[in-house]
Amino acid sequence: EAQVTQNPRYLITVTGKKLTVTCSQNMNHEYMSWYRQDPGLGLRQIYYSMNVEVTDKGDVPEGYKVSRKEKRNFPLILESPSPNQTSLYFCASSLARGKGTDTQYFGPGTRLTVL
Amino acid sequence: AQKVTQAQTEISVVEKEDVTLDCVYETRDTTYYLFWYKQPPSGELVFLIRRNSFDEQNEISGRYSWNFQKSTSSFNFTITASQVVDSAVYFCALSGSGTYKYIFGTGTRLKVLA
């Protein structure tokens, strides 16, 4: 089954404790992206990757890191989480036949609470 | 800069009513792509439609239809004969041909009452 998986689905942590949210896709998609969803703000793009070893900032990258060492994986790293990073996070993937062209398929979401 | 505006924060309708969700966008790209996604109460994001800027034909899929008007920079979504299962948050999104970024609107929460 074609899918995007995220782990963990729920996470409660404390300020300053480094964490990683994993994202994996089995569709051989070149493009992967991370979003955060906050009430009243919709989805905002954090980082995206056009292919292996190619990443770029979205609209809200502060406090986050990413890496793309393999095509199928795109982990989101919070080196020192803060309460304002409490949010619902989505990973997405798509083909990258051209900029902005392709439909993104989303993972199930990770609900993160930083105390 | 690109922007997507969904001015309707929440809409409530009674089952079987028709409802239109508005989406207004801004972009300087001549080629761009518009999307609608549905987020039901279970939380996942479900793709509904993609439209490119060169295709202004309206599209109908069952009870769903989309009206794309470049002249007013709008890409509105209509649900005909709404059902309780249509209750969800609906997001409009935009991506331009000059970028790999996607811009989402703030979403419209639709409540369909039995």
Side-chain angles (χ1 to χ4, degrees):
Chain A
E1 180 190 355
Q3 59 182 353
V4 179
T5 57
Q6 295 179 228
N7 282 292
R9 295 288 313 279
Y10 302 91
L11 179 60
I12 300 175
T13 188
V14 295
T15 299
K17 186 176 182 181
K18 180 179 179 179
L19 66 91
T20 299
V21 184
T22 64
C23 173
S24 183
Q25 50 93 5
N26 63 0
M27 295 170 278
N28 203 34
H29 285 167
E30 293 88 4
Y31 184 92
M32 297 186 74
S33 181
W34 276 102
Y35 296 85
R36 59 178 291 174
Q37 182 180 2
D38 301 291
L41 297 178
L43 280 85
R44 294 178 293 167
Q45 197 168 27
I46 303 171
Y47 270 96
Y48 57 92
S49 170
M50 294 74 80
N51 215 323
V52 175
E53 302 290 4
V54 184
T55 63
D56 205 349
K57 297 177 181 178
D59 288 331
V60 288
E62 295 78 22
Y64 304 95
K65 285 177 58 177
V66 293
S67 69
R68 187 93 181 271
K69 294 184 170 56
E70 304 168 282
K71 196 172 187 179
R72 62 182 294 128
N73 296 323
F74 190 44
L76 180 69
I77 303 158
L78 284 72
E79 296 263 357
S80 183
S82 63
N84 64 12
Q85 293 179 297
T86 293
S87 187
L88 178 59
Y89 291 85
F90 286 99
C91 180
S93 74
S94 71
L95 294 169
R97 289 171 290 195
K99 290 179 179 178
T101 58
D102 276 279
T103 301
Q104 293 183 91
Y105 295 92
F106 285 82
T110 295
R111 187 165 293 281
L112 172 65
T113 301
V114 183
L115 302 175
Chain B
Q2 298 184 114
K3 186 178 180 181
V4 174
T5 301
Q6 294 180 258
Q8 304 153 308
T9 304
E10 185 168 312
I11 302 174
S12 292
V13 299
V14 176
E15 204 170 21
K16 297 184 184 177
E17 286 186 358
D18 298 347
V19 58
T20 296
L21 309 182
D22 298 333
C23 173
V24 175
Y25 62 91
E26 296 175 27
T27 181
R28 292 180 181 174
D29 289 330
T30 53
T31 303
Y32 51 89
Y33 301 84
L34 295 160
F35 306 82
W36 276 95
Y37 286 85
K38 174 182 179 180
Q39 186 176 43
S42 51
E44 71 273 21
L45 285 156
V46 179
F47 165 74
L48 295 178
I49 191 172
R50 180 187 72 185
R51 173 68 71 203
N52 74 55
S53 53
F54 293 111
D55 184 0
E56 289 194 71
Q57 282 192 338
N58 291 333
E59 179 152 341
I60 299 174
S61 176
R63 296 183 296 105
Y64 293 173
S65 62
W66 290 268
N67 182 276
F68 176 34
Q69 292 197 342
K70 286 178 76 170
S71 60
T72 56
S73 296
S74 64
F75 186 43
N76 297 336
F77 173 30
T78 297
I79 301 175
T80 302
S82 59
Q83 300 177 2
V84 173
V85 294
D86 296 326
S87 296
V89 180
Y90 292 86
F91 291 100
C92 181
L94 163 71
S95 187
S97 60
T99 179
Y100 283 104
K101 289 186 177 181
Y102 287 79
I103 306 298
F104 280 76
T106 52
T108 296
R109 181 178 300 277
L110 174 64
K111 293 184 178 180
V112 182
L113 308 171

